Amino acid sequence: MRKNFTMTDIKIVISILCKHLNHLYNVSLKAENFRLAKYNKSEVQNVKTFWRLLSRMVDVNSENTVTYVKSYFLKVLKYKSLHFYSLPEDMSCGSRELLIALAYLIANEFLNNRIQDIINKSVFNPNKQSHSSPDTSSDSKEDSNIVVKQIKNNEDLENMMQWIDGQIEYNNRQCWEYQEAIKKLLLKVCIDTSFKLFLLSTCFIHLKNQCKFIEQS
């Protein structure tokens, strides 16, 4: 059954996506950027934000962002949009093409791979040691030793604990927001389904009564 999403549903999804992208790639993306790009509005900051995001998603670190991102899309991703490659170097326009390019990266698992990479490297990952190579294990131990060496007194330890508590609180808040969004979507699906079943049952009863009326007549 095809699901018809409302504008509210779409805004919720875009808002969550922006939070993910901002957290993972250190950008300042807002739902408004998506709206402007949808209509190909070429506000300078809007276009620059998308270029910055694309460059960080493909791990391009260069002053000439546009050229290197285009090169990556062409040589590595084999991206075939001529409109994308014709975008100006001064980032003066092309927000819609950049939005399409972003969708292309997400569709090709760039976002999921980034999240998975963070999970694999996390010290809270229970499978980190068992699935890592000896070189990776030694690197992770060195990283852990560096963190430990930075804790020189009780104040440093307390600050570290506060930082961890803050991260846990942030993760819990994110989980709560996702759960609320899922609840709203599920509730809408249930309401739509119940309404359709009600209409179906009403039609069935009406048809049954019509048949009885015909038989009696």
Side-chain angles (χ1 to χ4, degrees):
M1 182 178 64
R2 184 177 179 180
K3 177 71 171 65
N4 294 322
F5 291 99
T6 65
M7 286 304 300
T8 301
D9 299 329
I10 295 173
K11 288 179 180 178
I12 291 174
V13 172
I14 292 177
S15 178
I16 293 174
L17 176 61
C18 287
K19 288 183 179 180
H20 268 302
L21 294 172
N22 292 339
H23 181 69
L24 293 172
Y25 300 104
N26 192 26
V27 292
S28 299
L29 195 66
K30 301 177 182 178
E32 178 67 7
N33 294 116
F34 282 81
R35 189 190 70 81
L36 293 173
K38 176 183 176 181
Y39 297 104
N40 205 25
K41 300 295 183 180
S42 298
E43 281 76 354
V44 176
Q45 289 303 321
N46 190 48
V47 177
K48 285 185 176 180
T49 299
F50 277 107
W51 274 119
R52 188 180 303 113
L53 174 59
L54 293 180
S55 67
R56 293 179 181 178
M57 290 185 73
V58 300
D59 200 20
V60 170
N61 186 14
S62 172
E63 293 182 358
N64 198 347
T65 300
V66 176
T67 299
Y68 278 87
V69 170
K70 287 181 180 180
S71 177
Y72 186 94
F73 268 73
L74 178 63
K75 296 178 181 179
V76 180
L77 302 179
K78 310 300 181 184
Y79 192 56
K80 298 180 180 180
S81 173
L82 296 179
H83 295 291
F84 174 77
Y85 298 113
S86 64
L87 293 178
E89 302 290 324
D90 60 0
M91 304 183 185
S92 59
C93 62
S95 58
R96 182 182 294 166
E97 279 300 321
L98 296 174
L99 179 61
I100 295 173
L102 171 61
Y104 182 83
L105 291 183
I106 294 176
N108 281 275
E109 302 294 329
F110 271 72
L111 183 57
N112 288 341
N113 291 340
R114 171 67 172 170
I115 294 173
Q116 190 60 51
D117 184 54
I118 293 175
I119 293 174
N120 292 337
K121 293 180 179 179
S122 173
V123 295
F124 299 105
N125 180 12
N127 300 320
K128 182 177 181 181
Q129 295 297 330
S130 59
H131 290 287
S132 57
S133 63
D135 294 338
T136 306
S137 299
S138 61
D139 291 340
S140 63
K141 289 179 180 179
E142 290 179 3
D143 293 339
S144 300
N145 290 334
I146 292 174
V147 174
V148 172
K149 289 179 181 179
Q150 291 176 346
I151 302 176
K152 298 179 179 179
N153 50 49
N154 290 335
E155 184 178 356
D156 291 341
L157 179 60
E158 184 177 351
N159 290 335
M160 177 63 71
M161 295 299 295
Q162 289 179 354
W163 179 82
I164 293 175
D165 288 340
Q167 289 295 107
I168 294 174
E169 183 179 354
Y170 172 80
N171 291 337
N172 288 336
R173 186 168 63 252
Q174 289 289 92
C175 289
W176 180 83
E177 290 180 0
Y178 297 152
Q179 289 172 354
E180 289 299 306
I182 292 172
K183 285 180 182 178
K184 290 180 181 179
L185 291 175
L186 290 176
L187 180 61
K188 180 173 177 55
V189 171
C190 291
I191 292 175
D192 289 347
T193 304
S194 300
F195 182 68
K196 290 177 181 178
L197 289 175
F198 170 75
L199 290 178
L200 184 62
S201 61
T202 303
C203 292
F204 177 76
I205 293 173
H206 178 71
L207 180 61
K208 186 177 180 181
N209 292 335
Q210 286 291 98
C211 292
K212 285 184 178 180
F213 177 77
I214 293 173
E215 289 177 355
Q216 291 174 358
S217 59

